[in-house]
C-alpha cells in the first residue's frame, strides 16, 4: 500500500474492510492482542492474518511490539492501536482527536506495563470462547467486557472481565478472575470474594459465578481447600489455563464433577434489565 502513515483518515478509508473495523474496535476495547489471538478471532489462514496485520501497520492503524524469551527466541507479536487507529476510533466514538504524542505514549505505557502478561492472558480466555463459538452454531459470546468497563457498570466489582456466554440455548453471566500465580491465594485471591458478596446483596438479584482461571492444578486444589465456609453466597468455579473454558472443565465449590459454563448457577437479576446494551462492544462472527 502506497499510503503514508501520516495520510488523512479519509484517504485510508478505501483500504479499511469491515473485518479491519472489527479488529480496531477489539483493540480499542481490550488494548492488546497477539497475532495468534487475532488469527483465531477473525481469520482462517494464519498467513493471511499476518499479511493483513502488516498492511494495517503500514497504514498506521495498528502498532506491534514483542520481547525476547528468557530461554531464547522471541515472544509473539503484540498488536495495539497505532496513531491512525486511535484517530479512527476517536472519530467513531466522538472522542477528542488524539495527538501523535499521546498515541505514542499509550503504546509505550502499554508495552512497559508490568501487568501486560495478565492482560493478554485475560483476553486469551475470551478469545478461546469466541473461537469455540466460531466452530459451533449453538454457542455465542454475547458480551466481552474489559476490567474497566466491568468496574464502570458494576461499581463494587473489580473483576478482570465480565461476559455473557450462550450455549445450547442457555445464557450464563460470569465474572473472571485471572490468576498468574503472583498473588497469595489466601490473603488476596479469596479475599476478593467479600466484594462479590456485597455486590450480590446490593444488586437486585444479580448473582453471577466468579470464575477463577488458574495456572496449575496445584493452585486449583489449594484454592478449593481455602474456599469452604467463606462467602458461601458467592458461586465460585475453577479451571486451569490448560483447559478449554467452553468445555466441561469447571469445578464448582463443594463438588467433585466438572461441568460446562452453562451448568453453573447464574441469575441475571436486574443486571440486564437496567442497561442491556451498555458496553457490549463488538459482535464476533
Amino acid at each position: 500500500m502506497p499510503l503514508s502513515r501520516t495520510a488523512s483518515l479519509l484517504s485510508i478509508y478505501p483500504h479499511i474492510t469491515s473485518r479491519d473495523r472489527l479488529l480496531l474496535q477489539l483493540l480499542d476495547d481490550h488494548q492488546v492482542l497477539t497475532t495468534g489471538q487475532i488469527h483465531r478471532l477473525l481469520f482462517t489462514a494464519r498467513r493471511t492474518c499476518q499479511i493483513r496485520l502488516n498492511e494495517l501497520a503500514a497504514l498506521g492503524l495498528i502498532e506491534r511490539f514483542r520481547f525476547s524469551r528468557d530461554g531464547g527466541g522471541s515472544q509473539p507479536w503484540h498488536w495495539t492501536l497505532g496513531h491512525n487507529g486511535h484517530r479512527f476510533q476517536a472519530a467513531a466514538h466522538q472522542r477528542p482527536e488524539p495527538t501523535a504524542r499521546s498515541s505514542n505514549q499509550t503504546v509505550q505505557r502499554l508495552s512497559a506495563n508490568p501487568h501486560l502478561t495478565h492482560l493478554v492472558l485475560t483476553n486469551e480466555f475470551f478469545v478461546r470462547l469466541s473461537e469455540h463459538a466460531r466452530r459451533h452454531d449453538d454457542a455465542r459470546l454475547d458480551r466481552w467486557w474489559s476490567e474497566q468497563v466491568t468496574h464502570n457498570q458494576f461499581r463494587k466489582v473489580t473483576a478482570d472481565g465480565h461476559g455473557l456466554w450462550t450455549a445450547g440455548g442457555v445464557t450464563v453471566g460470569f465474572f473472571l478472575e485471572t490468576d498468574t500465580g503472583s498473588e497469595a491465594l489466601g490473603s488476596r485471591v479469596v479475599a476478593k470474594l467479600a466484594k462479590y458478596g456485597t455486590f450480590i446483596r446490593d444488586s437486585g438479584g444479580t448473582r453471577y459465578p466468579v470464575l477463577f482461571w488458574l495456572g496449575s492444578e496445584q493452585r486449583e486444589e489449594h484454592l478449593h481447600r481455602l474456599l469452604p465456609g467463606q462467602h458461601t453466597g458467592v458461586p465460585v468455579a475453577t479451571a486451569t489455563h490448560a483447559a478449554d473454558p467452553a468445555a466441561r472443565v469447571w469445578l464448582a465449590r463443594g463438588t467433585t464433577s466438572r461441568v460446562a459454563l452453562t451448568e453453573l448457577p447464574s441469575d441475571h437479576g436486574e443486571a440486564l434489565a437496567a442497561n442491556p446494551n451498555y458496553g457490549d462492544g463488538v459482535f464476533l462472527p
Side-chain angles (χ1 to χ4, degrees):
M1 292 184 183
L3 296 175
S4 74
R5 296 165 70 90
T6 57
S8 73
L9 282 179
L10 296 183
S11 64
I12 294 175
Y13 282 1
H15 301 273
I16 301 177
T17 67
S18 58
R19 182 170 59 186
D20 298 335
R21 294 187 68 164
L22 182 54
L23 174 58
L24 295 178
Q25 187 61 56
L26 283 166
L27 292 176
D28 195 14
D29 289 340
H30 306 293
Q31 301 185 64
V32 61
L33 293 165
T34 66
T35 301
Q37 289 173 337
I38 296 171
H39 168 217
R40 287 180 286 138
L41 282 170
L42 300 173
F43 291 83
T44 301
R46 186 178 180 87
R47 182 57 181 160
T48 302
C49 174
Q50 293 171 327
I51 292 172
R52 188 56 184 164
L53 291 177
N54 287 331
E55 290 173 345
L56 295 177
L59 292 171
L61 289 167
I62 58 177
E63 291 276 5
R64 69 179 186 176
F65 61 88
R66 67 179 176 183
F67 297 95
S68 62
R69 295 187 187 276
D70 292 340
S74 299
Q75 294 180 359
W77 286 111
H78 291 56
W79 297 88
T80 188
L81 290 178
H83 179 49
N84 284 338
H86 281 289
R87 294 171 66 203
F88 184 86
Q89 288 302 112
H93 296 282
Q94 300 182 22
R95 300 194 297 252
E97 168 89 5
T99 65
R101 179 179 180 182
S102 66
S103 296
N104 187 51
Q105 286 178 338
T106 298
V107 175
Q108 290 179 352
R109 289 169 181 168
L110 174 65
S111 63
N113 188 336
H115 301 294
L116 176 64
T117 299
H118 182 272
L119 175 59
V120 172
L121 186 59
T122 296
N123 288 345
E124 174 66 18
F125 180 91
F126 290 95
V127 169
R128 292 187 192 181
L129 289 180
S130 299
E131 182 182 16
H132 179 92
R134 291 186 75 188
R135 301 194 307 265
H136 297 82
D137 293 337
D138 67 338
R140 185 175 67 253
L141 181 60
D142 299 297
R143 178 180 289 172
W144 171 5
W145 283 359
S146 66
E147 177 182 2
Q148 186 60 54
V149 173
T150 300
H151 180 64
N152 288 345
Q153 178 70 347
F154 305 112
R155 292 290 183 180
K156 297 181 177 67
V157 172
T158 56
D160 296 320
H162 160 65
L164 292 178
W165 171 250
T166 297
V170 178
T171 299
V172 60
F174 62 84
F175 294 114
L176 178 65
E177 292 286 350
T178 304
D179 174 58
T180 59
S182 62
E183 294 183 327
L185 287 176
S187 61
R188 293 293 301 277
V189 176
V190 175
K192 295 178 181 179
L193 294 180
K195 291 184 178 180
Y196 289 106
T198 300
F199 166 74
I200 289 174
R201 290 192 299 272
D202 300 342
S203 64
T206 303
R207 188 169 178 263
Y208 290 148
V210 180
L211 307 181
F212 285 95
W213 204 36
L214 301 145
S216 68
E217 292 182 359
Q218 291 76 18
R219 293 275 290 179
E220 185 179 29
E221 292 172 0
H222 185 199
L223 178 59
H224 276 277
R225 287 196 297 270
L226 296 170
L227 286 175
Q230 297 194 47
H231 310 294
T232 54
V234 182
V236 174
T238 64
T240 67
H241 300 166
D244 177 1
R248 297 176 62 88
V249 299
W250 294 99
L251 186 62
R253 182 205 327 243
T255 63
T256 57
S257 298
R258 295 187 183 270
V259 299
L261 276 177
T262 49
E263 297 176 88
L264 295 173
S266 175
D267 189 341
H268 301 296
E270 297 179 0
L272 293 183
N275 200 346
N277 298 316
Y278 179 88
D280 268 7
V282 296
F283 171 76
L284 294 172

PDB file of all heavy atoms in Angstrom, residues 224-242:
ATOM      1  N   HIS A 224      -9.350 -24.505  46.410  1.00  0.00           N
ATOM      2  CA  HIS A 224     -10.543 -25.194  46.905  1.00  0.00           C
ATOM      3  C   HIS A 224     -10.422 -25.540  48.382  1.00  0.00           C
ATOM      4  O   HIS A 224     -11.444 -25.571  49.091  1.00  0.00           O
ATOM      5  CB  HIS A 224     -10.815 -26.441  46.073  1.00  0.00           C
ATOM      6  CG  HIS A 224     -11.579 -26.160  44.814  1.00  0.00           C
ATOM      7  ND1 HIS A 224     -12.948 -26.050  44.774  1.00  0.00           N
ATOM      8  CD2 HIS A 224     -11.139 -25.924  43.548  1.00  0.00           C
ATOM      9  CE1 HIS A 224     -13.329 -25.771  43.534  1.00  0.00           C
ATOM     10  NE2 HIS A 224     -12.255 -25.695  42.770  1.00  0.00           N
ATOM     11  N   ARG A 225      -9.218 -25.767  48.847  1.00  0.00           N
ATOM     12  CA  ARG A 225      -9.054 -26.036  50.289  1.00  0.00           C
ATOM     13  C   ARG A 225      -9.336 -24.783  51.111  1.00  0.00           C
ATOM     14  O   ARG A 225      -9.730 -24.874  52.277  1.00  0.00           O
ATOM     15  CB  ARG A 225      -7.633 -26.533  50.572  1.00  0.00           C
ATOM     16  CG  ARG A 225      -7.375 -27.959  50.096  1.00  0.00           C
ATOM     17  CD  ARG A 225      -6.125 -28.537  50.738  1.00  0.00           C
ATOM     18  NE  ARG A 225      -4.924 -27.806  50.366  1.00  0.00           N
ATOM     19  CZ  ARG A 225      -4.164 -28.092  49.304  1.00  0.00           C
ATOM     20  NH1 ARG A 225      -4.496 -29.123  48.516  1.00  0.00           N
ATOM     21  NH2 ARG A 225      -3.091 -27.386  49.026  1.00  0.00           N
ATOM     22  N   LEU A 226      -9.139 -23.620  50.511  1.00  0.00           N
ATOM     23  CA  LEU A 226      -9.368 -22.363  51.221  1.00  0.00           C
ATOM     24  C   LEU A 226     -10.821 -21.890  51.144  1.00  0.00           C
ATOM     25  O   LEU A 226     -11.252 -21.083  51.970  1.00  0.00           O
ATOM     26  CB  LEU A 226      -8.466 -21.267  50.647  1.00  0.00           C
ATOM     27  CG  LEU A 226      -6.951 -21.457  50.805  1.00  0.00           C
ATOM     28  CD1 LEU A 226      -6.209 -20.418  49.970  1.00  0.00           C
ATOM     29  CD2 LEU A 226      -6.543 -21.350  52.265  1.00  0.00           C
ATOM     30  N   LEU A 227     -11.576 -22.390  50.173  1.00  0.00           N
ATOM     31  CA  LEU A 227     -12.909 -21.866  49.916  1.00  0.00           C
ATOM     32  C   LEU A 227     -14.000 -22.290  50.901  1.00  0.00           C
ATOM     33  O   LEU A 227     -14.847 -21.476  51.244  1.00  0.00           O
ATOM     34  CB  LEU A 227     -13.354 -22.245  48.499  1.00  0.00           C
ATOM     35  CG  LEU A 227     -12.691 -21.476  47.354  1.00  0.00           C
ATOM     36  CD1 LEU A 227     -13.142 -22.047  46.017  1.00  0.00           C
ATOM     37  CD2 LEU A 227     -13.023 -19.995  47.428  1.00  0.00           C
ATOM     38  N   PRO A 228     -14.072 -23.527  51.354  1.00  0.00           N
ATOM     39  CA  PRO A 228     -15.229 -23.935  52.163  1.00  0.00           C
ATOM     40  C   PRO A 228     -15.456 -23.038  53.371  1.00  0.00           C
ATOM     41  O   PRO A 228     -14.534 -22.672  54.091  1.00  0.00           O
ATOM     42  CB  PRO A 228     -14.843 -25.352  52.610  1.00  0.00           C
ATOM     43  CG  PRO A 228     -13.939 -25.836  51.540  1.00  0.00           C
ATOM     44  CD  PRO A 228     -13.152 -24.627  51.118  1.00  0.00           C
ATOM     45  N   GLY A 229     -16.729 -22.653  53.548  1.00  0.00           N
ATOM     46  CA  GLY A 229     -17.108 -21.862  54.711  1.00  0.00           C
ATOM     47  C   GLY A 229     -16.935 -20.377  54.552  1.00  0.00           C
ATOM     48  O   GLY A 229     -17.355 -19.612  55.417  1.00  0.00           O
ATOM     49  N   GLN A 230     -16.337 -19.922  53.444  1.00  0.00           N
ATOM     50  CA  GLN A 230     -16.114 -18.485  53.264  1.00  0.00           C
ATOM     51  C   GLN A 230     -16.989 -17.964  52.137  1.00  0.00           C
ATOM     52  O   GLN A 230     -16.993 -18.511  51.031  1.00  0.00           O
ATOM     53  CB  GLN A 230     -14.644 -18.200  52.935  1.00  0.00           C
ATOM     54  CG  GLN A 230     -13.685 -18.602  54.043  1.00  0.00           C
ATOM     55  CD  GLN A 230     -12.316 -17.997  53.807  1.00  0.00           C
ATOM     56  OE1 GLN A 230     -12.186 -16.822  53.517  1.00  0.00           O
ATOM     57  NE2 GLN A 230     -11.288 -18.818  53.947  1.00  0.00           N
ATOM     58  N   HIS A 231     -17.750 -16.901  52.405  1.00  0.00           N
ATOM     59  CA  HIS A 231     -18.549 -16.225  51.393  1.00  0.00           C
ATOM     60  C   HIS A 231     -19.396 -17.237  50.625  1.00  0.00           C
ATOM     61  O   HIS A 231     -19.356 -17.312  49.393  1.00  0.00           O
ATOM     62  CB  HIS A 231     -17.651 -15.443  50.440  1.00  0.00           C
ATOM     63  CG  HIS A 231     -16.671 -14.559  51.145  1.00  0.00           C
ATOM     64  ND1 HIS A 231     -17.059 -13.478  51.899  1.00  0.00           N
ATOM     65  CD2 HIS A 231     -15.313 -14.619  51.251  1.00  0.00           C
ATOM     66  CE1 HIS A 231     -15.968 -12.886  52.421  1.00  0.00           C
ATOM     67  NE2 HIS A 231     -14.927 -13.577  52.055  1.00  0.00           N
ATOM     68  N   THR A 232     -20.159 -18.046  51.360  1.00  0.00           N
ATOM     69  CA  THR A 232     -20.914 -19.133  50.756  1.00  0.00           C
ATOM     70  C   THR A 232     -22.011 -18.640  49.824  1.00  0.00           C
ATOM     71  O   THR A 232     -22.545 -19.414  49.032  1.00  0.00           O
ATOM     72  CB  THR A 232     -21.543 -20.015  51.846  1.00  0.00           C
ATOM     73  OG1 THR A 232     -22.311 -19.181  52.739  1.00  0.00           O
ATOM     74  CG2 THR A 232     -20.472 -20.726  52.643  1.00  0.00           C
ATOM     75  N   GLY A 233     -22.377 -17.375  49.888  1.00  0.00           N
ATOM     76  CA  GLY A 233     -23.400 -16.861  48.985  1.00  0.00           C
ATOM     77  C   GLY A 233     -22.883 -16.534  47.605  1.00  0.00           C
ATOM     78  O   GLY A 233     -23.658 -16.199  46.706  1.00  0.00           O
ATOM     79  N   VAL A 234     -21.578 -16.627  47.395  1.00  0.00           N
ATOM     80  CA  VAL A 234     -20.966 -16.313  46.109  1.00  0.00           C
ATOM     81  C   VAL A 234     -20.666 -17.608  45.362  1.00  0.00           C
ATOM     82  O   VAL A 234     -19.858 -18.416  45.819  1.00  0.00           O
ATOM     83  CB  VAL A 234     -19.657 -15.515  46.287  1.00  0.00           C
ATOM     84  CG1 VAL A 234     -19.054 -15.159  44.930  1.00  0.00           C
ATOM     85  CG2 VAL A 234     -19.901 -14.267  47.112  1.00  0.00           C
ATOM     86  N   PRO A 235     -21.299 -17.858  44.213  1.00  0.00           N
ATOM     87  CA  PRO A 235     -20.967 -19.063  43.443  1.00  0.00           C
ATOM     88  C   PRO A 235     -19.560 -18.947  42.856  1.00  0.00           C
ATOM     89  O   PRO A 235     -19.209 -17.928  42.259  1.00  0.00           O
ATOM     90  CB  PRO A 235     -22.029 -19.094  42.349  1.00  0.00           C
ATOM     91  CG  PRO A 235     -22.524 -17.695  42.237  1.00  0.00           C
ATOM     92  CD  PRO A 235     -22.369 -17.059  43.582  1.00  0.00           C
ATOM     93  N   VAL A 236     -18.757 -19.978  43.044  1.00  0.00           N
ATOM     94  CA  VAL A 236     -17.361 -19.980  42.601  1.00  0.00           C
ATOM     95  C   VAL A 236     -17.096 -21.249  41.799  1.00  0.00           C
ATOM     96  O   VAL A 236     -17.573 -22.327  42.154  1.00  0.00           O
ATOM     97  CB  VAL A 236     -16.392 -19.918  43.804  1.00  0.00           C
ATOM     98  CG1 VAL A 236     -14.949 -20.061  43.339  1.00  0.00           C
ATOM     99  CG2 VAL A 236     -16.574 -18.622  44.571  1.00  0.00           C
ATOM    100  N   ALA A 237     -16.337 -21.120  40.719  1.00  0.00           N
ATOM    101  CA  ALA A 237     -15.899 -22.275  39.946  1.00  0.00           C
ATOM    102  C   ALA A 237     -14.477 -22.040  39.477  1.00  0.00           C
ATOM    103  O   ALA A 237     -14.045 -20.891  39.303  1.00  0.00           O
ATOM    104  CB  ALA A 237     -16.825 -22.521  38.759  1.00  0.00           C
ATOM    105  N   THR A 238     -13.742 -23.116  39.270  1.00  0.00           N
ATOM    106  CA  THR A 238     -12.335 -23.005  38.901  1.00  0.00           C
ATOM    107  C   THR A 238     -12.010 -23.899  37.705  1.00  0.00           C
ATOM    108  O   THR A 238     -12.668 -24.906  37.458  1.00  0.00           O
ATOM    109  CB  THR A 238     -11.422 -23.427  40.069  1.00  0.00           C
ATOM    110  OG1 THR A 238     -11.643 -24.824  40.353  1.00  0.00           O
ATOM    111  CG2 THR A 238     -11.704 -22.614  41.311  1.00  0.00           C
ATOM    112  N   ALA A 239     -10.979 -23.499  36.969  1.00  0.00           N
ATOM    113  CA  ALA A 239     -10.399 -24.302  35.898  1.00  0.00           C
ATOM    114  C   ALA A 239      -8.979 -23.805  35.700  1.00  0.00           C
ATOM    115  O   ALA A 239      -8.585 -22.756  36.238  1.00  0.00           O
ATOM    116  CB  ALA A 239     -11.200 -24.199  34.607  1.00  0.00           C
ATOM    117  N   THR A 240      -8.185 -24.540  34.941  1.00  0.00           N
ATOM    118  CA  THR A 240      -6.796 -24.147  34.708  1.00  0.00           C
ATOM    119  C   THR A 240      -6.629 -23.558  33.314  1.00  0.00           C
ATOM    120  O   THR A 240      -7.466 -23.752  32.429  1.00  0.00           O
ATOM    121  CB  THR A 240      -5.844 -25.345  34.867  1.00  0.00           C
ATOM    122  OG1 THR A 240      -6.104 -26.290  33.809  1.00  0.00           O
ATOM    123  CG2 THR A 240      -6.050 -26.021  36.221  1.00  0.00           C
ATOM    124  N   HIS A 241      -5.516 -22.864  33.117  1.00  0.00           N
ATOM    125  CA  HIS A 241      -5.231 -22.240  31.831  1.00  0.00           C
ATOM    126  C   HIS A 241      -5.136 -23.260  30.707  1.00  0.00           C
ATOM    127  O   HIS A 241      -5.365 -22.919  29.536  1.00  0.00           O
ATOM    128  CB  HIS A 241      -3.903 -21.462  31.898  1.00  0.00           C
ATOM    129  CG  HIS A 241      -3.906 -20.378  32.913  1.00  0.00           C
ATOM    130  ND1 HIS A 241      -2.741 -19.760  33.336  1.00  0.00           N
ATOM    131  CD2 HIS A 241      -4.910 -19.791  33.623  1.00  0.00           C
ATOM    132  CE1 HIS A 241      -3.038 -18.848  34.242  1.00  0.00           C
ATOM    133  NE2 HIS A 241      -4.340 -18.848  34.433  1.00  0.00           N
ATOM    134  N   ALA A 242      -4.786 -24.493  31.042  1.00  0.00           N
ATOM    135  CA  ALA A 242      -4.633 -25.514  30.011  1.00  0.00           C
ATOM    136  C   ALA A 242      -5.966 -25.983  29.455  1.00  0.00           C
ATOM    137  O   ALA A 242      -6.020 -26.625  28.399  1.00  0.00           O
ATOM    138  CB  ALA A 242      -3.861 -26.708  30.569  1.00  0.00           C
TER     139      ALA A 242
END
